[in-house]
Amino acid sequence: MLSAQDKRIIKELQNGLPLASRPYQIMAARLKMPEEELINRIRYLKENGIVRRLGAAVRHQDLGFKANAMVVWDVPDDKICAAGNLMAEFKEVTHCYQRPRQTGWPYNLFTMVHSHSNEECVKIAEKIARAVGINQYNLLFSAGELKKISMRYFE
Amino acid sequence: MKIDQIDRKLLNLIQADFPLSPEPYREIGETLGINEEEVLARLKNMIDSGLIRRLGGIFDSKMLGYHSTLCAMRVDEKRIDEVAAVVNAYPGVTHNYLREHEFNMWFTLTAPSKEELDQCITRIKIDTGINDVLILPAQKLFKIKVNFDL
């Protein structure tokens, strides 16, 4: 269970780390706690998976990863764990989730593939399809980013 | 923005594991063979240019007690801007992408409770008049990797 102080730490961390020699000291002063205690608490939050990652979020489009496709797969229900774990092994796959099928939507496994071009994304999907042995899939290319922000919690 | 080899190394380093020590920028500089001032100056440049969206914590929304889902909407091409404005107005909509498919608008929605999540979806349907929405919450996570090898 998160304490009130944990929530304040999380709010500080989502505002960003100060660009200064002692960033944690600056944050700790705002939180009215010792620097060392703050560092230890962030480590605890990381070790327990509450902070998934501490560091930079980059605009990958600016770094040459200009294309992304959501590749959706229709996987037999009893094969979903094996397929998901196999797909997760591919370095080009950044996200892999099981999601529910719906009427008019037969796909139950979702992977995000990032690469330098749409053609490359197609090749990656073919490579994954061969490796996992799933032929029922579809690529949904990104046609434009309408919004991308980081979620703000406890506000 | 043009970045050089040191920027790339710096980005690789700080995407993965930002040091949890009193002087993290100095520590990063030591690894790269540059001083703390240069690390800070390079980071400031990359933040100002928007290449680094944020330097801070990325959280597991579920662990924070939040509920989230992926949604897909079938939107008439002529209504894209108008519908995007309605959808994007929700602070819990963090990503929204157009995709080449009959379901062409894909967004993620996060809320502090299941009830608020459902309310948001209902309101989006009412405000846009679009009922053709797929609600696709994650049932199992196999991978999430948000750092890129540069």
Side-chain angles (χ1 to χ4, degrees):
Chain A
M1 201 46 208
L2 294 170
S3 68
Q5 192 180 47
D6 288 336
K7 290 184 185 178
R8 291 172 59 222
I9 294 172
I10 288 162
K11 284 175 74 167
E12 279 290 332
L13 281 177
Q14 72 188 357
N15 286 335
L17 290 158
L19 282 179
S21 188
R22 301 280 291 270
Y24 301 111
Q25 190 184 52
I26 294 171
M27 283 179 61
R30 287 188 204 133
L31 292 162
K32 298 186 172 58
M33 63 194 290
E35 180 187 25
E36 198 189 336
E37 194 182 314
L38 173 64
I39 290 175
N40 287 337
R41 198 61 193 171
I42 297 173
R43 184 172 293 120
Y44 168 87
L45 293 172
K46 240 185 111 179
E47 282 167 1
N48 286 276
I50 293 144
V51 172
R52 213 165 50 203
R53 195 161 67 83
L54 185 69
V58 301
R59 280 191 61 84
H60 47 80
Q61 298 97 323
D62 298 346
L63 295 164
F65 294 88
K66 293 195 189 307
N68 79 75
M70 191 173 73
V71 189
V72 291
W73 309 81
D74 177 0
V75 181
D77 289 336
D78 59 335
K79 299 219 164 61
I80 194 120
C81 269
N85 286 324
L86 259 172
M87 289 184 193
E89 297 285 315
F90 286 82
K91 70 172 192 314
E92 299 94 338
V93 171
T94 57
H95 300 67
C96 182
Y97 288 98
Q98 180 186 359
R99 301 184 186 276
R101 299 178 207 272
Q102 316 227 338
T103 315
W105 184 261
Y107 306 106
N108 57 348
L109 194 59
F110 290 59
T111 50
M112 281 302 308
V113 169
H114 288 262
S115 193
H116 305 278
S117 67
N118 285 359
E119 296 71 45
E120 276 300 310
C121 289
V122 170
K123 282 186 194 153
I124 293 163
E126 284 169 356
K127 186 170 74 175
I128 297 170
R130 273 196 305 275
V132 183
I134 305 290
N135 296 314
Q136 298 299 313
Y137 68 96
N138 196 354
L139 277 84
L140 280 71
F141 290 109
S142 167
E145 186 181 283
L146 299 171
K147 187 176 186 184
K148 183 162 186 185
I149 58 159
S150 295
M151 181 64 192
R152 300 195 63 90
Y153 299 97
F154 309 124
E155 289 191 343
Chain B
M1 183 197 168
K2 272 299 245 194
I3 60 168
D4 63 16
Q5 210 46 42
I6 296 175
D7 286 328
R8 278 181 191 277
K9 282 185 185 159
L10 178 56
L11 279 173
N12 269 338
L13 263 183
I14 60 164
Q15 279 188 94
D17 255 315
F18 193 85
L20 272 167
S21 58
E23 296 174 290
Y25 303 109
R26 191 182 55 77
E27 208 173 290
I28 292 164
E30 272 173 14
T31 310
L32 294 173
I34 57 178
N35 64 27
E36 183 182 46
E37 289 73 38
E38 190 177 341
V39 171
L40 288 166
R42 284 174 179 272
L43 288 176
K44 188 174 183 307
N45 262 332
M46 291 193 277
I47 290 169
D48 289 348
S49 74
L51 200 137
I52 294 178
R53 283 196 299 120
R54 211 162 60 84
L55 182 64
I58 292 160
F59 307 95
D60 184 324
S61 63
K62 214 170 163 183
M63 295 285 281
L64 298 179
Y66 279 63
H67 292 252
S68 65
T69 187
L70 175 68
C71 302
M73 255 179 148
R74 199 196 298 253
V75 184
D76 190 320
E77 287 293 328
K78 292 190 283 290
R79 292 192 59 202
I80 298 261
D81 290 346
E82 168 216 338
V83 172
V86 172
V87 171
N88 291 354
Y90 288 87
V93 171
T94 55
H95 298 57
N96 188 355
Y97 283 92
L98 288 176
R99 296 200 177 275
E100 295 167 8
H101 189 267
E102 53 180 325
F103 283 97
N104 50 351
M105 191 177 289
W106 291 77
F107 58 92
T108 55
L109 182 61
T110 303
S113 68
K114 179 77 170 71
E115 291 69 35
E116 282 166 85
L117 190 74
D118 293 342
Q119 275 169 19
C120 272
I121 295 166
T122 304
R123 284 215 305 271
I124 287 171
K125 285 183 180 173
I126 292 169
D127 292 348
T128 59
I130 298 171
N131 275 310
D132 232 348
V133 185
L134 299 175
I135 312 298
L136 303 161
Q139 294 168 301
K140 188 170 166 65
L141 166 67
F142 292 101
K143 183 178 191 179
I144 179 156
K145 175 180 182 285
V146 273
N147 48 322
F148 290 81
D149 295 325
L150 302 173

